[in-house]
Amino acid sequence: MIFDLEENDSIQRNENICRIFSKTMYMEHVGTGIKRMKDEMRRYGLPEPEFMESGEFFKVIFRVDDKTKNFNGRQIFLNMSRDNITTQEYIDLFDISRNTDIKDLNELIEKDCTDKIKNGGIVFYKLKSP
């Protein structure tokens, strides 16, 4: 069943997802996320997400474009974020290994979505605007 979440009260159902989104600009106020997700998808020229409920399960479907179709979920999320991020922040945010981090971020650099910037002893990744 497809439904409109904007017409329902907000309830925190998944603490891990909330933890990830709380580290980005996408979770400023409870109850505003669905509208902002839709706005951001439109901003990037992508279809709005679809929200589905099946029994006790809830699913969000994000459609991607040709540029992002081979990205994993972490890369898509990061590519839509406006923040710069360090390697350690990426590892902590997604609870991944250093090897996975390097692979993900290098793919984003190769696809011209991210720049690697060195500032003294700190290396961070600056995401390019759409």
Side-chain angles (χ1 to χ4, degrees):
M1 168 195 307
I2 297 176
F3 59 97
D4 187 356
L5 288 177
E6 291 174 289
E7 296 189 19
N8 295 303
D9 294 331
S10 292
I11 299 170
Q12 180 178 327
R13 291 180 178 94
N14 186 314
E15 289 184 27
N16 289 331
I17 290 174
C18 288
R19 180 180 55 82
I20 290 171
F21 277 99
S22 70
K23 296 180 183 292
T24 71
M25 60 170 268
Y26 295 114
M27 188 173 166
E28 294 173 1
H29 305 287
V30 173
T32 62
I34 300 300
K35 181 185 179 318
R36 290 199 332 244
M37 270 195 280
K38 289 179 175 182
D39 291 345
E40 285 298 305
M41 294 297 281
R42 283 192 301 269
R43 180 174 166 259
Y44 280 80
L46 299 171
E48 289 183 6
E50 297 172 35
F51 304 97
M52 303 177 81
E53 180 182 20
S54 175
E56 294 182 18
F57 295 96
F58 173 77
K59 180 165 56 169
V60 180
I61 300 172
F62 292 96
R63 308 273 181 216
V64 296
D65 60 9
D66 286 340
K67 183 176 183 180
T68 59
K69 72 179 176 185
N70 293 320
F71 286 3
N72 63 45
R74 295 180 304 274
Q75 291 168 316
I76 291 170
F77 176 82
L78 185 63
N79 192 48
M80 293 179 69
S81 170
R82 292 188 189 136
D83 296 332
N84 299 331
I85 194 166
T86 66
T87 299
Q88 191 59 52
E89 289 170 336
Y90 191 75
I91 289 169
D92 293 343
L93 182 62
F94 295 108
D95 193 25
I96 57 173
S97 70
R98 176 135 342 250
N99 287 342
T100 299
D101 159 75
I102 291 168
K103 179 180 176 287
D104 282 1
L105 294 172
N106 283 338
E107 285 177 5
L108 289 172
I109 291 168
E110 290 169 13
K111 293 179 180 175
D112 201 32
C113 295
T114 306
D115 288 321
K116 184 176 182 177
I117 303 198
K118 295 180 182 180
N119 185 2
I122 299 174
V123 175
F124 66 94
Y125 295 84
K126 180 172 178 52
L127 301 160
K128 296 183 178 184
S129 297

